[in-house]
Amino acid sequence: MKPYQKIPIRECGQPLVPIPADKFVIPSPHAYEKLGANYRGKSPYFLRQGVLNALIDAQNRLQVYQPGWQILIFDAYRPVEVQQFMVDYTFQTLLDTRGLAKEKLSEAESQAILTEVYTIWAIPSDNAATPPPHSTGAAIDITLVDEKGQAIQMGGEIDEISERSHPDHYIAAKSPREQSYHQKRVLLAKVMEEAGFSRHKGEWWHFSLGDQMWAWSLERAYAIYGRVEDEVGLAAKRFSGGHKGGGRFS
């Protein structure tokens, strides 16, 4: 169990709502759908209403610092089964990269690789008390694009398992290019935190508002968003035009 998972949840019942394609850069198809993740007819581009309101605020704040720049939505709502798919996919990718076969690994070797996987991916828990952050509709993975629609270089890729993923990896960098990476990460965090979000301590791209990680990071007594449950009518459904937008990122 990670420290933030000990935070109690007082679910507020706020619905998931679509992220407006006219306000953000939204890639299509979604990155995990390209890999084979099955969202079962639901869109990943949904967030809780309060989280979306704050994200729009962050986008507006970004315009003050960098007119014309936009937030690119890499990932938002993620069902637990998609979380499991990505854990399995990443595990297999590490094996393939290292020329290893799963059936030949010892239990200790397998666990060591899984530990690496969990430096980036939350455990795909079915326990309502310990939901993966993205399954709550309150966590989002983002980056920036400039006024020409070009991706801003942040010094590392989203979901990258390496030291470069740490938000402050480039804080003591000497080269102008690496210092630029740090400054862009600081800008992203600044607009998000001013809007009420909390950044993941180990991932420059991951922000949340209202979930357990957010509550733990900001020392709140409880989280207000738990795992989204289909049976209580909070399922994210496909919506007309929901995957449009994003131009050269589609």
Side-chain angles (χ1 to χ4, degrees), residues 198-216:
S198 174
R199 183 173 62 181
H200 190 297
K201 296 185 182 300
E203 301 173 3
W204 62 262
W205 61 84
H206 180 117
F207 295 85
S208 61
L209 193 159
D211 65 1
Q212 288 174 302
M213 187 177 291
W214 169 87
W216 174 74

Side-chain angles (χ1 to χ4, degrees), residues 95-115:
L95 294 184
D96 294 343
T97 300
R98 299 168 186 180
L100 301 173
K102 184 177 181 179
E103 62 274 12
K104 294 184 179 180
L105 296 177
S106 68
E107 181 62 31
E109 290 170 332
S110 180
Q111 187 58 48
I113 294 174
L114 193 57
T115 297

Side-chain angles (χ1 to χ4, degrees), residues 157-178:
E157 299 298 324
I158 292 176
D159 293 341
E160 181 179 319
I161 299 180
S162 80
E163 293 181 355
R164 299 195 307 176
S165 293
H166 192 281
D168 290 332
H169 177 70
Y170 294 104
I171 193 170
K174 302 299 183 183
S175 76
R177 184 170 69 173
E178 291 186 333

Side-chain angles (χ1 to χ4, degrees), residues 118-133:
Y118 286 145
T119 62
I120 292 295
W121 301 100
I123 296 172
S125 170
D126 284 325
N127 186 339
T130 58

Side-chain angles (χ1 to χ4, degrees), residues 7-225:
I7 298 292
I9 301 170
R10 297 182 185 177
E11 173 60 55
C12 67
Q14 203 175 73
L16 284 169
V17 293
I19 300 171
D22 62 335
K23 294 185 180 297
F24 304 95
V25 177
I26 300 180
S28 177
H30 186 275
Y32 303 153
E33 289 180 315
K34 290 180 183 179
L35 299 177
N38 184 1
Y39 283 83
R40 299 188 182 280
K42 303 167 190 172
S43 171
Y45 296 120
F46 273 69
L47 290 170
R48 299 294 188 111
Q49 182 68 68
V51 181
L52 176 59
N53 292 345
L55 186 64
I56 293 172
D57 181 23
Q59 174 80 305
N60 292 334
R61 291 172 184 273
L62 177 62
Q63 300 308 304
V64 175
Y65 299 108
Q66 290 289 347
W69 284 26
Q70 288 183 287
I71 292 172
L72 181 146
I73 312 297
F74 182 87
D75 194 32
Y77 169 65
R78 186 190 304 156
V80 176
E81 59 191 298
V82 174
Q83 186 80 17
Q84 183 66 63
F85 174 89
M86 290 309 302
V87 165
D88 295 341
Y89 179 89
T90 305
F91 184 90
Q92 187 60 51
T93 298
L94 289 178
L95 294 184
D96 294 343
T97 300
R98 299 168 186 180
L100 301 173
K102 184 177 181 179
E103 62 274 12
K104 294 184 179 180
L105 296 177
S106 68
E107 181 62 31
E109 290 170 332
S110 180
Q111 187 58 48
I113 294 174
L114 193 57
T115 297
E116 285 187 67
V117 173
Y118 286 145
T119 62
I120 292 295
W121 301 100
I123 296 172
S125 170
D126 284 325
N127 186 339
T130 58
H134 281 275
S135 73
T136 69
I140 188 164
D141 297 336
I142 58 176
T143 187
L144 298 171
V145 298
D146 65 19
E147 67 279 1
K148 296 180 180 179
Q150 299 294 327
I152 299 297
Q153 296 301 310
M154 306 294 282
E157 299 298 324
I158 292 176
D159 293 341
E160 181 179 319
I161 299 180
S162 80
E163 293 181 355
R164 299 195 307 176
S165 293
H166 192 281
D168 290 332
H169 177 70
Y170 294 104
I171 193 170
K174 302 299 183 183
S175 76
R177 184 170 69 173
E178 291 186 333
Q179 266 299 313
S180 175
Y181 296 154
H182 180 66
Q183 291 164 8
K184 301 304 187 299
R185 293 182 182 195
V186 168
L187 172 62
L188 181 60
K190 181 178 180 65
V191 298
M192 293 296 284
E193 289 170 357
E194 286 180 350
F197 287 87
S198 174
R199 183 173 62 181
H200 190 297
K201 296 185 182 300
E203 301 173 3
W204 62 262
W205 61 84
H206 180 117
F207 295 85
S208 61
L209 193 159
D211 65 1
Q212 288 174 302
M213 187 177 291
W214 169 87
W216 174 74
S217 178
L218 298 182
E219 299 184 347
R220 303 297 179 91
Y222 57 88
I224 61 173
Y225 299 125

